[in-house]
mmCIF file with all atom_site columns, all heavy atoms in Angstrom:
data_model
loop_
_atom_site.group_PDB
_atom_site.id
_atom_site.type_symbol
_atom_site.label_atom_id
_atom_site.label_alt_id
_atom_site.label_comp_id
_atom_site.label_asym_id
_atom_site.label_entity_id
_atom_site.label_seq_id
_atom_site.pdbx_PDB_ins_code
_atom_site.Cartn_x
_atom_site.Cartn_y
_atom_site.Cartn_z
_atom_site.occupancy
_atom_site.B_iso_or_equiv
_atom_site.pdbx_formal_charge
_atom_site.auth_seq_id
_atom_site.auth_comp_id
_atom_site.auth_asym_id
_atom_site.auth_atom_id
_atom_site.pdbx_PDB_model_num
ATOM 1   N N   . TRP D 1 1  ? 34.131 -7.642  -3.250  1.00 97.00 ? 14 TRP D N   1
ATOM 2   C CA  . TRP D 1 1  ? 35.602 -7.324  -3.637  1.00 97.00 ? 14 TRP D CA  1
ATOM 3   C C   . TRP D 1 1  ? 35.674 -7.417  -5.186  1.00 97.00 ? 14 TRP D C   1
ATOM 4   O O   . TRP D 1 1  ? 34.848 -7.984  -5.891  1.00 97.00 ? 14 TRP D O   1
ATOM 5   C CB  . TRP D 1 1  ? 36.545 -8.068  -2.912  1.00 97.00 ? 14 TRP D CB  1
ATOM 6   C CG  . TRP D 1 1  ? 36.457 -9.646  -3.168  1.00 97.00 ? 14 TRP D CG  1
ATOM 7   C CD1 . TRP D 1 1  ? 37.333 -10.383 -4.004  1.00 97.00 ? 14 TRP D CD1 1
ATOM 8   C CD2 . TRP D 1 1  ? 35.602 -10.659 -2.668  1.00 97.00 ? 14 TRP D CD2 1
ATOM 9   N NE1 . TRP D 1 1  ? 37.035 -11.722 -4.011  1.00 97.00 ? 14 TRP D NE1 1
ATOM 10  C CE2 . TRP D 1 1  ? 35.977 -11.840 -3.159  1.00 97.00 ? 14 TRP D CE2 1
ATOM 11  C CE3 . TRP D 1 1  ? 34.505 -10.491 -1.784  1.00 97.00 ? 14 TRP D CE3 1
ATOM 12  C CZ2 . TRP D 1 1  ? 35.283 -13.065 -2.879  1.00 97.00 ? 14 TRP D CZ2 1
ATOM 13  C CZ3 . TRP D 1 1  ? 33.836 -11.730 -1.526  1.00 97.00 ? 14 TRP D CZ3 1
ATOM 14  C CH2 . TRP D 1 1  ? 34.238 -12.974 -2.027  1.00 97.00 ? 14 TRP D CH2 1
ATOM 15  N N   . MET D 1 2  ? 36.678 -6.807  -5.752  1.00 97.00 ? 15 MET D N   1
ATOM 16  C CA  . MET D 1 2  ? 36.962 -6.643  -7.061  1.00 97.00 ? 15 MET D CA  1
ATOM 17  C C   . MET D 1 2  ? 37.651 -7.816  -7.778  1.00 97.00 ? 15 MET D C   1
ATOM 18  O O   . MET D 1 2  ? 38.404 -8.537  -7.111  1.00 97.00 ? 15 MET D O   1
ATOM 19  C CB  . MET D 1 2  ? 37.727 -5.334  -7.443  1.00 97.00 ? 15 MET D CB  1
ATOM 20  C CG  . MET D 1 2  ? 36.978 -4.066  -6.957  1.00 97.00 ? 15 MET D CG  1
ATOM 21  S SD  . MET D 1 2  ? 38.036 -2.602  -7.360  1.00 97.00 ? 15 MET D SD  1
ATOM 22  C CE  . MET D 1 2  ? 39.398 -2.696  -6.334  1.00 97.00 ? 15 MET D CE  1
ATOM 23  N N   . GLN D 1 3  ? 37.376 -7.922  -9.084  1.00 97.00 ? 16 GLN D N   1
ATOM 24  C CA  . GLN D 1 3  ? 38.146 -8.917  -9.879  1.00 97.00 ? 16 GLN D CA  1
ATOM 25  C C   . GLN D 1 3  ? 39.558 -8.717  -9.774  1.00 97.00 ? 16 GLN D C   1
ATOM 26  O O   . GLN D 1 3  ? 40.162 -7.661  -9.744  1.00 97.00 ? 16 GLN D O   1
ATOM 27  C CB  . GLN D 1 3  ? 37.681 -8.677  -11.344 1.00 97.00 ? 16 GLN D CB  1
ATOM 28  C CG  . GLN D 1 3  ? 38.361 -9.830  -12.309 1.00 97.00 ? 16 GLN D CG  1
ATOM 29  C CD  . GLN D 1 3  ? 37.947 -9.451  -13.739 1.00 97.00 ? 16 GLN D CD  1
ATOM 30  O OE1 . GLN D 1 3  ? 38.108 -8.369  -14.203 1.00 97.00 ? 16 GLN D OE1 1
ATOM 31  N NE2 . GLN D 1 3  ? 37.529 -10.542 -14.417 1.00 97.00 ? 16 GLN D NE2 1
ATOM 32  N N   . GLY D 1 4  ? 40.295 -9.852  -9.694  1.00 97.00 ? 17 GLY D N   1
ATOM 33  C CA  . GLY D 1 4  ? 41.707 -9.833  -9.473  1.00 97.00 ? 17 GLY D CA  1
ATOM 34  C C   . GLY D 1 4  ? 42.188 -9.787  -8.081  1.00 97.00 ? 17 GLY D C   1
ATOM 35  O O   . GLY D 1 4  ? 43.396 -9.994  -7.767  1.00 97.00 ? 17 GLY D O   1
ATOM 36  N N   . ASP D 1 5  ? 41.306 -9.493  -7.172  1.00 96.00 ? 18 ASP D N   1
ATOM 37  C CA  . ASP D 1 5  ? 41.671 -9.547  -5.706  1.00 96.00 ? 18 ASP D CA  1
ATOM 38  C C   . ASP D 1 5  ? 40.999 -10.675 -5.026  1.00 96.00 ? 18 ASP D C   1
ATOM 39  O O   . ASP D 1 5  ? 40.022 -11.366 -5.572  1.00 96.00 ? 18 ASP D O   1
ATOM 40  C CB  . ASP D 1 5  ? 41.011 -8.226  -5.000  1.00 96.00 ? 18 ASP D CB  1
ATOM 41  C CG  . ASP D 1 5  ? 41.775 -6.964  -5.396  1.00 96.00 ? 18 ASP D CG  1
ATOM 42  O OD1 . ASP D 1 5  ? 42.959 -7.025  -5.881  1.00 96.00 ? 18 ASP D OD1 1
ATOM 43  O OD2 . ASP D 1 5  ? 41.210 -5.807  -5.363  1.00 96.00 ? 18 ASP D OD2 1
ATOM 44  N N   . GLN D 1 6  ? 41.496 -10.975 -3.837  1.00 94.00 ? 19 GLN D N   1
ATOM 45  C CA  . GLN D 1 6  ? 40.809 -11.863 -2.985  1.00 94.00 ? 19 GLN D CA  1
ATOM 46  C C   . GLN D 1 6  ? 40.455 -11.110 -1.693  1.00 94.00 ? 19 GLN D C   1
ATOM 47  O O   . GLN D 1 6  ? 41.045 -10.031 -1.374  1.00 94.00 ? 19 GLN D O   1
ATOM 48  C CB  . GLN D 1 6  ? 41.687 -13.198 -2.701  1.00 94.00 ? 19 GLN D CB  1
ATOM 49  C CG  . GLN D 1 6  ? 43.063 -12.959 -2.107  1.00 94.00 ? 19 GLN D CG  1
ATOM 50  C CD  . GLN D 1 6  ? 43.787 -14.128 -2.166  1.00 94.00 ? 19 GLN D CD  1
ATOM 51  O OE1 . GLN D 1 6  ? 43.853 -14.895 -3.120  1.00 94.00 ? 19 GLN D OE1 1
ATOM 52  N NE2 . GLN D 1 6  ? 44.480 -14.545 -1.015  1.00 94.00 ? 19 GLN D NE2 1
ATOM 53  N N   . LEU D 1 7  ? 39.607 -11.664 -0.903  1.00 93.00 ? 20 LEU D N   1
ATOM 54  C CA  . LEU D 1 7  ? 39.096 -10.961 0.274   1.00 93.00 ? 20 LEU D CA  1
ATOM 55  C C   . LEU D 1 7  ? 40.204 -10.602 1.258   1.00 93.00 ? 20 LEU D C   1
ATOM 56  O O   . LEU D 1 7  ? 40.231 -9.557  1.866   1.00 93.00 ? 20 LEU D O   1
ATOM 57  C CB  . LEU D 1 7  ? 38.007 -11.760 0.932   1.00 93.00 ? 20 LEU D CB  1
ATOM 58  C CG  . LEU D 1 7  ? 37.116 -11.053 1.928   1.00 93.00 ? 20 LEU D CG  1
ATOM 59  C CD1 . LEU D 1 7  ? 36.505 -9.858  1.302   1.00 93.00 ? 20 LEU D CD1 1
ATOM 60  C CD2 . LEU D 1 7  ? 35.993 -12.020 2.352   1.00 93.00 ? 20 LEU D CD2 1
ATOM 61  N N   . SER D 1 8  ? 41.217 -11.489 1.378   1.00 93.00 ? 21 SER D N   1
ATOM 62  C CA  . SER D 1 8  ? 42.332 -11.281 2.382   1.00 93.00 ? 21 SER D CA  1
ATOM 63  C C   . SER D 1 8  ? 43.187 -10.109 1.919   1.00 93.00 ? 21 SER D C   1
ATOM 64  O O   . SER D 1 8  ? 44.094 -9.742  2.706   1.00 93.00 ? 21 SER D O   1
ATOM 65  C CB  . SER D 1 8  ? 43.103 -12.620 2.469   1.00 93.00 ? 21 SER D CB  1
ATOM 66  O OG  . SER D 1 8  ? 43.644 -12.935 1.241   1.00 93.00 ? 21 SER D OG  1
ATOM 67  N N   . ASP D 1 9  ? 42.996 -9.577  0.661   1.00 95.00 ? 22 ASP D N   1
ATOM 68  C CA  . ASP D 1 9  ? 43.839 -8.426  0.269   1.00 95.00 ? 22 ASP D CA  1
ATOM 69  C C   . ASP D 1 9  ? 43.413 -7.123  1.062   1.00 95.00 ? 22 ASP D C   1
ATOM 70  O O   . ASP D 1 9  ? 44.029 -6.059  0.846   1.00 95.00 ? 22 ASP D O   1
ATOM 71  C CB  . ASP D 1 9  ? 43.646 -8.159  -1.226  1.00 95.00 ? 22 ASP D CB  1
ATOM 72  C CG  . ASP D 1 9  ? 44.400 -9.185  -2.085  1.00 95.00 ? 22 ASP D CG  1
ATOM 73  O OD1 . ASP D 1 9  ? 45.234 -9.837  -1.620  1.00 95.00 ? 22 ASP D OD1 1
ATOM 74  O OD2 . ASP D 1 9  ? 43.864 -9.498  -3.220  1.00 95.00 ? 22 ASP D OD2 1
ATOM 75  N N   . HIS D 1 10 ? 42.371 -7.249  1.733   1.00 94.00 ? 23 HIS D N   1
ATOM 76  C CA  . HIS D 1 10 ? 41.800 -5.984  2.440   1.00 94.00 ? 23 HIS D CA  1
ATOM 77  C C   . HIS D 1 10 ? 41.460 -4.863  1.585   1.00 94.00 ? 23 HIS D C   1
ATOM 78  O O   . HIS D 1 10 ? 41.833 -3.736  1.779   1.00 94.00 ? 23 HIS D O   1
ATOM 79  C CB  . HIS D 1 10 ? 42.780 -5.599  3.593   1.00 94.00 ? 23 HIS D CB  1
ATOM 80  C CG  . HIS D 1 10 ? 43.091 -6.645  4.630   1.00 94.00 ? 23 HIS D CG  1
ATOM 81  N ND1 . HIS D 1 10 ? 42.144 -6.960  5.582   1.00 94.00 ? 23 HIS D ND1 1
ATOM 82  C CD2 . HIS D 1 10 ? 44.035 -7.503  4.721   1.00 94.00 ? 23 HIS D CD2 1
ATOM 83  C CE1 . HIS D 1 10 ? 42.626 -7.994  6.301   1.00 94.00 ? 23 HIS D CE1 1
ATOM 84  N NE2 . HIS D 1 10 ? 43.784 -8.413  5.863   1.00 94.00 ? 23 HIS D NE2 1
ATOM 85  N N   . CYS D 1 11 ? 40.683 -5.181  0.531   1.00 96.00 ? 24 CYS D N   1
ATOM 86  C CA  . CYS D 1 11 ? 40.206 -4.190  -0.410  1.00 96.00 ? 24 CYS D CA  1
ATOM 87  C C   . CYS D 1 11 ? 38.823 -4.609  -0.771  1.00 96.00 ? 24 CYS D C   1
ATOM 88  O O   . CYS D 1 11 ? 38.529 -5.415  -1.706  1.00 96.00 ? 24 CYS D O   1
ATOM 89  C CB  . CYS D 1 11 ? 41.104 -4.155  -1.615  1.00 96.00 ? 24 CYS D CB  1
ATOM 90  S SG  . CYS D 1 11 ? 40.577 -2.845  -2.882  1.00 96.00 ? 24 CYS D SG  1
ATOM 91  N N   . PHE D 1 12 ? 37.821 -4.183  0.046   1.00 97.00 ? 25 PHE D N   1
ATOM 92  C CA  . PHE D 1 12 ? 36.423 -4.678  -0.211  1.00 97.00 ? 25 PHE D CA  1
ATOM 93  C C   . PHE D 1 12 ? 35.431 -3.626  0.407   1.00 97.00 ? 25 PHE D C   1
ATOM 94  O O   . PHE D 1 12 ? 35.808 -2.764  1.201   1.00 97.00 ? 25 PHE D O   1
ATOM 95  C CB  . PHE D 1 12 ? 36.209 -6.017  0.416   1.00 97.00 ? 25 PHE D CB  1
ATOM 96  C CG  . PHE D 1 12 ? 36.440 -6.085  1.906   1.00 97.00 ? 25 PHE D CG  1
ATOM 97  C CD1 . PHE D 1 12 ? 35.411 -5.888  2.876   1.00 97.00 ? 25 PHE D CD1 1
ATOM 98  C CD2 . PHE D 1 12 ? 37.731 -6.453  2.416   1.00 97.00 ? 25 PHE D CD2 1
ATOM 99  C CE1 . PHE D 1 12 ? 35.637 -5.899  4.212   1.00 97.00 ? 25 PHE D CE1 1
ATOM 100 C CE2 . PHE D 1 12 ? 37.969 -6.598  3.731   1.00 97.00 ? 25 PHE D CE2 1
ATOM 101 C CZ  . PHE D 1 12 ? 36.930 -6.314  4.659   1.00 97.00 ? 25 PHE D CZ  1
ATOM 102 N N   . ALA D 1 13 ? 34.226 -3.737  -0.064  1.00 97.00 ? 26 ALA D N   1
ATOM 103 C CA  . ALA D 1 13 ? 33.122 -2.924  0.622   1.00 97.00 ? 26 ALA D CA  1
ATOM 104 C C   . ALA D 1 13 ? 32.276 -3.901  1.373   1.00 97.00 ? 26 ALA D C   1
ATOM 105 O O   . ALA D 1 13 ? 32.260 -5.155  1.095   1.00 97.00 ? 26 ALA D O   1
ATOM 106 C CB  . ALA D 1 13 ? 32.273 -2.292  -0.494  1.00 97.00 ? 26 ALA D CB  1
ATOM 107 N N   . TYR D 1 14 ? 31.628 -3.468  2.365   1.00 97.00 ? 27 TYR D N   1
ATOM 108 C CA  . TYR D 1 14 ? 30.786 -4.308  3.204   1.00 97.00 ? 27 TYR D CA  1
ATOM 109 C C   . TYR D 1 14 ? 29.388 -3.615  3.570   1.00 97.00 ? 27 TYR D C   1
ATOM 110 O O   . TYR D 1 14 ? 29.334 -2.433  3.646   1.00 97.00 ? 27 TYR D O   1
ATOM 111 C CB  . TYR D 1 14 ? 31.494 -4.921  4.364   1.00 97.00 ? 27 TYR D CB  1
ATOM 112 C CG  . TYR D 1 14 ? 31.744 -3.900  5.460   1.00 97.00 ? 27 TYR D CG  1
ATOM 113 C CD1 . TYR D 1 14 ? 30.776 -3.634  6.540   1.00 97.00 ? 27 TYR D CD1 1
ATOM 114 C CD2 . TYR D 1 14 ? 32.996 -3.256  5.555   1.00 97.00 ? 27 TYR D CD2 1
ATOM 115 C CE1 . TYR D 1 14 ? 31.081 -2.716  7.535   1.00 97.00 ? 27 TYR D CE1 1
ATOM 116 C CE2 . TYR D 1 14 ? 33.238 -2.306  6.606   1.00 97.00 ? 27 TYR D CE2 1
ATOM 117 C CZ  . TYR D 1 14 ? 32.236 -2.122  7.578   1.00 97.00 ? 27 TYR D CZ  1
ATOM 118 O OH  . TYR D 1 14 ? 32.499 -1.223  8.561   1.00 97.00 ? 27 TYR D OH  1
ATOM 119 N N   . PHE D 1 15 ? 28.445 -4.544  3.868   1.00 96.00 ? 28 PHE D N   1
ATOM 120 C CA  . PHE D 1 15 ? 27.152 -4.095  4.377   1.00 96.00 ? 28 PHE D CA  1
ATOM 121 C C   . PHE D 1 15 ? 26.936 -4.961  5.596   1.00 96.00 ? 28 PHE D C   1
ATOM 122 O O   . PHE D 1 15 ? 27.010 -6.187  5.573   1.00 96.00 ? 28 PHE D O   1
ATOM 123 C CB  . PHE D 1 15 ? 26.050 -4.424  3.360   1.00 96.00 ? 28 PHE D CB  1
ATOM 124 C CG  . PHE D 1 15 ? 24.657 -4.229  3.861   1.00 96.00 ? 28 PHE D CG  1
ATOM 125 C CD1 . PHE D 1 15 ? 24.113 -2.897  3.910   1.00 96.00 ? 28 PHE D CD1 1
ATOM 126 C CD2 . PHE D 1 15 ? 23.867 -5.313  4.293   1.00 96.00 ? 28 PHE D CD2 1
ATOM 127 C CE1 . PHE D 1 15 ? 22.837 -2.681  4.404   1.00 96.00 ? 28 PHE D CE1 1
ATOM 128 C CE2 . PHE D 1 15 ? 22.592 -5.076  4.815   1.00 96.00 ? 28 PHE D CE2 1
ATOM 129 C CZ  . PHE D 1 15 ? 22.034 -3.830  4.838   1.00 96.00 ? 28 PHE D CZ  1
ATOM 130 N N   . HIS D 1 16 ? 26.718 -4.306  6.733   1.00 95.00 ? 29 HIS D N   1
ATOM 131 C CA  . HIS D 1 16 ? 26.640 -4.928  8.050   1.00 95.00 ? 29 HIS D CA  1
ATOM 132 C C   . HIS D 1 16 ? 25.170 -4.687  8.564   1.00 95.00 ? 29 HIS D C   1
ATOM 133 O O   . HIS D 1 16 ? 24.729 -3.601  8.645   1.00 95.00 ? 29 HIS D O   1
ATOM 134 C CB  . HIS D 1 16 ? 27.622 -4.389  9.044   1.00 95.00 ? 29 HIS D CB  1
ATOM 135 C CG  . HIS D 1 16 ? 27.390 -5.005  10.424  1.00 95.00 ? 29 HIS D CG  1
ATOM 136 N ND1 . HIS D 1 16 ? 27.022 -4.185  11.479  1.00 95.00 ? 29 HIS D ND1 1
ATOM 137 C CD2 . HIS D 1 16 ? 27.530 -6.216  10.895  1.00 95.00 ? 29 HIS D CD2 1
ATOM 138 C CE1 . HIS D 1 16 ? 26.950 -4.975  12.534  1.00 95.00 ? 29 HIS D CE1 1
ATOM 139 N NE2 . HIS D 1 16 ? 27.248 -6.190  12.283  1.00 95.00 ? 29 HIS D NE2 1
ATOM 140 N N   . GLN D 1 17 ? 24.522 -5.807  8.971   1.00 93.00 ? 30 GLN D N   1
ATOM 141 C CA  . GLN D 1 17 ? 23.198 -5.809  9.532   1.00 93.00 ? 30 GLN D CA  1
ATOM 142 C C   . GLN D 1 17 ? 23.307 -6.397  11.110  1.00 93.00 ? 30 GLN D C   1
ATOM 143 O O   . GLN D 1 17 ? 23.553 -7.497  11.207  1.00 93.00 ? 30 GLN D O   1
ATOM 144 C CB  . GLN D 1 17 ? 22.252 -6.643  8.834   1.00 93.00 ? 30 GLN D CB  1
ATOM 145 C CG  . GLN D 1 17 ? 20.849 -6.578  9.391   1.00 93.00 ? 30 GLN D CG  1
ATOM 146 C CD  . GLN D 1 17 ? 19.898 -7.456  8.577   1.00 93.00 ? 30 GLN D CD  1
ATOM 147 O OE1 . GLN D 1 17 ? 20.180 -8.477  8.151   1.00 93.00 ? 30 GLN D OE1 1
ATOM 148 N NE2 . GLN D 1 17 ? 18.724 -6.979  8.344   1.00 93.00 ? 30 GLN D NE2 1
ATOM 149 N N   . PRO D 1 18 ? 23.267 -5.461  12.054  1.00 91.00 ? 31 PRO D N   1
ATOM 150 C CA  . PRO D 1 18 ? 23.372 -5.892  13.385  1.00 91.00 ? 31 PRO D CA  1
ATOM 151 C C   . PRO D 1 18 ? 22.267 -6.770  13.873  1.00 91.00 ? 31 PRO D C   1
ATOM 152 O O   . PRO D 1 18 ? 21.135 -6.659  13.237  1.00 91.00 ? 31 PRO D O   1
ATOM 153 C CB  . PRO D 1 18 ? 23.491 -4.663  14.144  1.00 91.00 ? 31 PRO D CB  1
ATOM 154 C CG  . PRO D 1 18 ? 23.045 -3.473  13.330  1.00 91.00 ? 31 PRO D CG  1
ATOM 155 C CD  . PRO D 1 18 ? 23.018 -3.969  11.896  1.00 91.00 ? 31 PRO D CD  1
ATOM 156 N N   . ASN D 1 19 ? 22.378 -7.594  14.823  1.00 87.00 ? 32 ASN D N   1
ATOM 157 C CA  . ASN D 1 19 ? 21.383 -8.369  15.373  1.00 87.00 ? 32 ASN D CA  1
ATOM 158 C C   . ASN D 1 19 ? 20.320 -7.592  16.049  1.00 87.00 ? 32 ASN D C   1
ATOM 159 O O   . ASN D 1 19 ? 19.161 -7.919  16.088  1.00 87.00 ? 32 ASN D O   1
ATOM 160 C CB  . ASN D 1 19 ? 21.870 -9.388  16.380  1.00 87.00 ? 32 ASN D CB  1
ATOM 161 C CG  . ASN D 1 19 ? 22.557 -10.549 15.766  1.00 87.00 ? 32 ASN D CG  1
ATOM 162 O OD1 . ASN D 1 19 ? 22.518 -10.846 14.510  1.00 87.00 ? 32 ASN D OD1 1
ATOM 163 N ND2 . ASN D 1 19 ? 23.408 -11.288 16.507  1.00 87.00 ? 32 ASN D ND2 1
ATOM 164 N N   . SER D 1 20 ? 20.673 -6.360  16.508  1.00 78.00 ? 33 SER D N   1
ATOM 165 C CA  . SER D 1 20 ? 19.636 -5.512  17.211  1.00 78.00 ? 33 SER D CA  1
ATOM 166 C C   . SER D 1 20 ? 18.826 -4.773  16.169  1.00 78.00 ? 33 SER D C   1
ATOM 167 O O   . SER D 1 20 ? 18.971 -4.920  15.026  1.00 78.00 ? 33 SER D O   1
ATOM 168 C CB  . SER D 1 20 ? 20.387 -4.542  18.166  1.00 78.00 ? 33 SER D CB  1
ATOM 169 O OG  . SER D 1 20 ? 21.228 -3.676  17.369  1.00 78.00 ? 33 SER D OG  1
ATOM 170 N N   . SER D 1 21 ? 17.965 -3.942  16.683  1.00 75.00 ? 34 SER D N   1
ATOM 171 C CA  . SER D 1 21 ? 17.125 -3.159  15.715  1.00 75.00 ? 34 SER D CA  1
ATOM 172 C C   . SER D 1 21 ? 17.957 -1.817  15.295  1.00 75.00 ? 34 SER D C   1
ATOM 173 O O   . SER D 1 21 ? 17.340 -0.959  14.770  1.00 75.00 ? 34 SER D O   1
ATOM 174 C CB  . SER D 1 21 ? 15.884 -2.633  16.361  1.00 75.00 ? 34 SER D CB  1
ATOM 175 O OG  . SER D 1 21 ? 16.175 -1.924  17.637  1.00 75.00 ? 34 SER D OG  1
ATOM 176 N N   . LYS D 1 22 ? 19.265 -1.805  15.507  1.00 83.00 ? 35 LYS D N   1
ATOM 177 C CA  . LYS D 1 22 ? 20.054 -0.619  15.024  1.00 83.00 ? 35 LYS D CA  1
ATOM 178 C C   . LYS D 1 22 ? 19.990 -0.626  13.505  1.00 83.00 ? 35 LYS D C   1
ATOM 179 O O   . LYS D 1 22 ? 19.861 -1.620  12.782  1.00 83.00 ? 35 LYS D O   1
ATOM 180 C CB  . LYS D 1 22 ? 21.485 -0.740  15.556  1.00 83.00 ? 35 LYS D CB  1
ATOM 181 C CG  . LYS D 1 22 ? 21.569 -0.511  17.000  1.00 83.00 ? 35 LYS D CG  1
ATOM 182 C CD  . LYS D 1 22 ? 23.040 -0.504  17.490  1.00 83.00 ? 35 LYS D CD  1
ATOM 183 C CE  . LYS D 1 22 ? 23.051 -0.352  19.024  1.00 83.00 ? 35 LYS D CE  1
ATOM 184 N NZ  . LYS D 1 22 ? 24.468 -0.405  19.428  1.00 83.00 ? 35 LYS D NZ  1
ATOM 185 N N   . ILE D 1 23 ? 20.326 0.464   12.941  1.00 88.00 ? 36 ILE D N   1
ATOM 186 C CA  . ILE D 1 23 ? 20.322 0.691   11.464  1.00 88.00 ? 36 ILE D CA  1
ATOM 187 C C   . ILE D 1 23 ? 21.551 0.045   10.872  1.00 88.00 ? 36 ILE D C   1
ATOM 188 O O   . ILE D 1 23 ? 22.705 0.080   11.421  1.00 88.00 ? 36 ILE D O   1
ATOM 189 C CB  . ILE D 1 23 ? 20.342 2.243   11.099  1.00 88.00 ? 36 ILE D CB  1
ATOM 190 C CG1 . ILE D 1 23 ? 19.011 2.856   11.616  1.00 88.00 ? 36 ILE D CG1 1
ATOM 191 C CG2 . ILE D 1 23 ? 20.558 2.453   9.700   1.00 88.00 ? 36 ILE D CG2 1
ATOM 192 C CD1 . ILE D 1 23 ? 19.048 4.350   11.425  1.00 88.00 ? 36 ILE D CD1 1
ATOM 193 N N   . PRO D 1 24 ? 21.380 -0.672  9.732   1.00 92.00 ? 37 PRO D N   1
ATOM 194 C CA  . PRO D 1 24 ? 22.554 -1.268  9.089   1.00 92.00 ? 37 PRO D CA  1
ATOM 195 C C   . PRO D 1 24 ? 23.570 -0.267  8.727   1.00 92.00 ? 37 PRO D C   1
ATOM 196 O O   . PRO D 1 24 ? 23.248 0.971   8.636   1.00 92.00 ? 37 PRO D O   1
ATOM 197 C CB  . PRO D 1 24 ? 21.981 -1.957  7.910   1.00 92.00 ? 37 PRO D CB  1
ATOM 198 C CG  . PRO D 1 24 ? 20.495 -2.159  8.258   1.00 92.00 ? 37 PRO D CG  1
ATOM 199 C CD  . PRO D 1 24 ? 20.135 -1.053  9.138   1.00 92.00 ? 37 PRO D CD  1
ATOM 200 N N   . SER D 1 25 ? 24.784 -0.684  8.395   1.00 93.00 ? 38 SER D N   1
ATOM 201 C CA  . SER D 1 25 ? 25.814 0.197   7.955   1.00 93.00 ? 38 SER D CA  1
ATOM 202 C C   . SER D 1 25 ? 26.625 -0.353  6.780   1.00 93.00 ? 38 SER D C   1
ATOM 203 O O   . SER D 1 25 ? 26.542 -1.625  6.599   1.00 93.00 ? 38 SER D O   1
ATOM 204 C CB  . SER D 1 25 ? 26.788 0.503   9.171   1.00 93.00 ? 38 SER D CB  1
ATOM 205 O OG  . SER D 1 25 ? 27.457 -0.585  9.616   1.00 93.00 ? 38 SER D OG  1
ATOM 206 N N   . SER D 1 26 ? 27.323 0.413   6.084   1.00 95.00 ? 39 SER D N   1
ATOM 207 C CA  . SER D 1 26 ? 28.238 -0.021  5.009   1.00 95.00 ? 39 SER D CA  1
ATOM 208 C C   . SER D 1 26 ? 29.421 0.902   4.988   1.00 95.00 ? 39 SER D C   1
ATOM 209 O O   . SER D 1 26 ? 29.333 2.012   5.442   1.00 95.00 ? 39 SER D O   1
ATOM 210 C CB  . SER D 1 26 ? 27.419 0.047   3.734   1.00 95.00 ? 39 SER D CB  1
ATOM 211 O OG  . SER D 1 26 ? 27.077 1.317   3.377   1.00 95.00 ? 39 SER D OG  1
#
């Protein structure tokens, strides 16, 4: 998340790695 924001502002990018062998997503 960006300077001046906090995560709870709902303005962020994410990278997700599932537990399975599925391809990660962002």
Side-chain angles (χ1 to χ4, degrees):
W14 64 102
M15 296 182 295
Q16 181 182 49
D18 287 341
Q19 57 189 49
L20 197 54
S21 61
D22 291 335
H23 300 283
C24 183
F25 59 89
Y27 70 87
F28 173 80
H29 174 247
Q30 183 180 42
N32 285 343
S33 65
S34 60
K35 292 182 181 178
I36 294 175
S38 63
S39 59

